[in-house]
Short mmCIF file of all heavy atoms in Angstrom, two decimals:
data_model
loop_
_atom_site.label_atom_id
_atom_site.label_comp_id
_atom_site.label_asym_id
_atom_site.label_seq_id
_atom_site.Cartn_x
_atom_site.Cartn_y
_atom_site.Cartn_z
N PRO X 93 122.16 119.78 108.19
CA PRO X 93 120.82 119.45 107.68
C PRO X 93 119.73 119.95 108.61
O PRO X 93 120.02 120.30 109.75
CB PRO X 93 120.81 117.91 107.66
CG PRO X 93 122.13 117.44 108.16
CD PRO X 93 122.92 118.60 108.62
N GLY X 94 118.51 119.98 108.08
CA GLY X 94 117.38 120.37 108.91
C GLY X 94 117.23 119.43 110.09
O GLY X 94 117.83 118.36 110.14
N PRO X 95 116.41 119.82 111.06
CA PRO X 95 116.26 118.99 112.25
C PRO X 95 115.68 117.63 111.88
O PRO X 95 114.86 117.49 110.99
CB PRO X 95 115.29 119.77 113.12
CG PRO X 95 114.54 120.65 112.18
CD PRO X 95 115.50 120.98 111.09
N ARG X 96 116.17 116.63 112.59
CA ARG X 96 115.70 115.27 112.37
C ARG X 96 114.29 115.14 112.92
O ARG X 96 114.01 115.61 114.03
CB ARG X 96 116.64 114.33 113.11
CG ARG X 96 116.48 112.88 112.83
CD ARG X 96 117.61 112.11 113.49
NE ARG X 96 117.45 112.11 114.94
CZ ARG X 96 118.28 112.66 115.80
NH1 ARG X 96 119.37 113.27 115.38
NH2 ARG X 96 118.06 112.59 117.08
N ILE X 97 113.41 114.55 112.15
CA ILE X 97 112.06 114.29 112.65
C ILE X 97 112.02 112.86 113.15
O ILE X 97 112.39 111.94 112.44
CB ILE X 97 111.01 114.54 111.54
CG1 ILE X 97 111.06 116.01 111.11
CG2 ILE X 97 109.61 114.17 112.03
CD1 ILE X 97 110.17 116.36 109.94
N GLU X 98 111.62 112.72 114.41
CA GLU X 98 111.60 111.40 115.07
C GLU X 98 110.18 111.02 115.35
O GLU X 98 109.43 111.77 116.01
CB GLU X 98 112.34 111.49 116.42
CG GLU X 98 113.82 111.73 116.32
CD GLU X 98 114.62 110.45 116.40
OE1 GLU X 98 114.04 109.40 116.73
OE2 GLU X 98 115.83 110.50 116.11
N ALA X 99 109.77 109.86 114.88
CA ALA X 99 108.41 109.37 115.11
C ALA X 99 108.48 107.88 115.35
O ALA X 99 109.54 107.27 115.20
CB ALA X 99 107.52 109.71 113.93
N LYS X 100 107.36 107.30 115.73
CA LYS X 100 107.28 105.84 115.76
C LYS X 100 106.18 105.41 114.80
O LYS X 100 105.29 106.21 114.46
CB LYS X 100 107.05 105.33 117.18
CG LYS X 100 105.72 105.74 117.77
CD LYS X 100 105.60 105.20 119.19
CE LYS X 100 104.22 105.42 119.77
NZ LYS X 100 103.68 106.78 119.59
N VAL X 101 106.27 104.18 114.38
CA VAL X 101 105.37 103.72 113.33
C VAL X 101 103.92 103.90 113.79
O VAL X 101 103.57 103.64 114.94
CB VAL X 101 105.71 102.26 112.94
CG1 VAL X 101 105.50 101.30 114.11
CG2 VAL X 101 104.97 101.81 111.72
N GLY X 102 103.09 104.42 112.89
CA GLY X 102 101.68 104.67 113.20
C GLY X 102 101.39 106.06 113.74
O GLY X 102 100.22 106.45 113.83
N ASP X 103 102.42 106.82 114.07
CA ASP X 103 102.19 108.18 114.57
C ASP X 103 101.60 109.06 113.49
O ASP X 103 101.88 108.89 112.29
CB ASP X 103 103.53 108.82 114.99
CG ASP X 103 103.98 108.40 116.37
OD1 ASP X 103 103.23 107.67 117.05
OD2 ASP X 103 105.10 108.78 116.77
N GLU X 104 100.83 110.03 113.93
CA GLU X 104 100.44 111.10 113.02
C GLU X 104 101.51 112.17 113.07
O GLU X 104 101.94 112.59 114.15
CB GLU X 104 99.09 111.69 113.41
CG GLU X 104 98.68 112.79 112.46
CD GLU X 104 97.26 113.29 112.67
OE1 GLU X 104 96.80 113.25 113.82
OE2 GLU X 104 96.65 113.70 111.69
N VAL X 105 101.98 112.59 111.90
CA VAL X 105 103.00 113.62 111.84
C VAL X 105 102.37 114.88 111.24
O VAL X 105 101.70 114.81 110.19
CB VAL X 105 104.20 113.18 110.97
CG1 VAL X 105 105.20 114.30 110.79
CG2 VAL X 105 104.89 111.98 111.63
N VAL X 106 102.52 115.99 111.93
CA VAL X 106 102.01 117.27 111.45
C VAL X 106 103.22 118.20 111.32
O VAL X 106 103.97 118.39 112.28
CB VAL X 106 101.00 117.87 112.45
CG1 VAL X 106 100.44 119.19 111.89
CG2 VAL X 106 99.89 116.89 112.77
N VAL X 107 103.41 118.72 110.12
CA VAL X 107 104.53 119.63 109.91
C VAL X 107 103.99 120.97 109.42
O VAL X 107 103.35 121.04 108.38
CB VAL X 107 105.53 119.08 108.86
CG1 VAL X 107 106.67 120.07 108.64
CG2 VAL X 107 106.08 117.73 109.28
N HIS X 108 104.22 121.99 110.22
CA HIS X 108 103.87 123.34 109.80
C HIS X 108 105.06 123.90 109.05
O HIS X 108 106.08 124.24 109.65
CB HIS X 108 103.57 124.22 111.01
CG HIS X 108 102.49 123.67 111.90
ND1 HIS X 108 101.16 123.81 111.60
CD2 HIS X 108 102.56 122.94 113.04
CE1 HIS X 108 100.45 123.21 112.56
NE2 HIS X 108 101.27 122.69 113.44
N PHE X 109 104.93 123.96 107.73
CA PHE X 109 106.03 124.45 106.91
C PHE X 109 105.81 125.94 106.63
O PHE X 109 104.77 126.33 106.10
CB PHE X 109 106.09 123.67 105.60
CG PHE X 109 107.02 124.26 104.56
CD1 PHE X 109 108.30 124.71 104.89
CD2 PHE X 109 106.61 124.39 103.23
CE1 PHE X 109 109.15 125.25 103.94
CE2 PHE X 109 107.45 124.95 102.28
CZ PHE X 109 108.71 125.38 102.63
N VAL X 110 106.78 126.75 107.01
CA VAL X 110 106.72 128.18 106.75
C VAL X 110 107.85 128.50 105.76
O VAL X 110 109.02 128.19 106.03
CB VAL X 110 106.93 128.99 108.06
CG1 VAL X 110 106.85 130.49 107.77
CG2 VAL X 110 105.91 128.58 109.11
N ASN X 111 107.49 129.05 104.64
CA ASN X 111 108.50 129.29 103.61
C ASN X 111 109.13 130.68 103.78
O ASN X 111 108.54 131.69 103.39
CB ASN X 111 107.89 129.16 102.22
CG ASN X 111 108.95 129.28 101.13
OD1 ASN X 111 110.15 129.41 101.43
ND2 ASN X 111 108.52 129.22 99.90
N GLY X 112 110.30 130.71 104.34
CA GLY X 112 111.03 131.96 104.51
C GLY X 112 112.04 132.24 103.41
O GLY X 112 112.92 133.07 103.55
N LEU X 113 111.89 131.49 102.30
CA LEU X 113 112.81 131.67 101.17
C LEU X 113 112.23 132.72 100.22
O LEU X 113 111.09 133.14 100.35
CB LEU X 113 113.00 130.36 100.42
CG LEU X 113 113.46 129.17 101.23
CD1 LEU X 113 113.40 127.91 100.38
CD2 LEU X 113 114.88 129.39 101.75
N ARG X 114 113.03 133.05 99.21
CA ARG X 114 112.54 134.00 98.21
C ARG X 114 111.93 133.29 97.00
O ARG X 114 111.65 133.89 95.98
CB ARG X 114 113.67 134.92 97.78
CG ARG X 114 113.90 136.05 98.77
CD ARG X 114 115.17 136.82 98.48
NE ARG X 114 116.33 135.96 98.71
CZ ARG X 114 117.59 136.36 98.55
NH1 ARG X 114 117.84 137.58 98.13
NH2 ARG X 114 118.58 135.54 98.81
N GLU X 115 111.76 131.97 97.11
CA GLU X 115 111.17 131.23 95.99
C GLU X 115 110.10 130.27 96.54
O GLU X 115 110.20 129.81 97.68
CB GLU X 115 112.26 130.44 95.24
CG GLU X 115 112.92 129.38 96.12
CD GLU X 115 113.93 128.54 95.35
OE1 GLU X 115 114.51 129.05 94.39
OE2 GLU X 115 114.10 127.38 95.74
N PRO X 116 109.11 129.95 95.70
CA PRO X 116 108.09 128.98 96.13
C PRO X 116 108.73 127.61 96.37
O PRO X 116 109.66 127.23 95.62
CB PRO X 116 107.13 128.92 94.94
CG PRO X 116 107.51 130.02 94.01
CD PRO X 116 108.90 130.44 94.32
N GLN X 117 108.23 126.88 97.35
CA GLN X 117 108.82 125.57 97.63
C GLN X 117 107.78 124.60 98.16
O GLN X 117 106.67 124.98 98.53
CB GLN X 117 109.97 125.68 98.65
CG GLN X 117 111.37 125.72 98.05
CD GLN X 117 111.65 124.59 97.04
OE1 GLN X 117 110.87 123.66 96.83
NE2 GLN X 117 112.77 124.70 96.36
#
Side-chain angles (χ1 to χ4, degrees):
R96 190 172 71 244
I97 298 174
E98 292 264 349
K100 65 181 188 312
V101 63
D103 279 355
E104 180 172 31
V105 174
V106 182
V107 179
H108 304 279
F109 169 46
V110 181
N111 186 3
L113 305 172
R114 279 170 293 180
E115 63 176 28
Q117 262 310 353

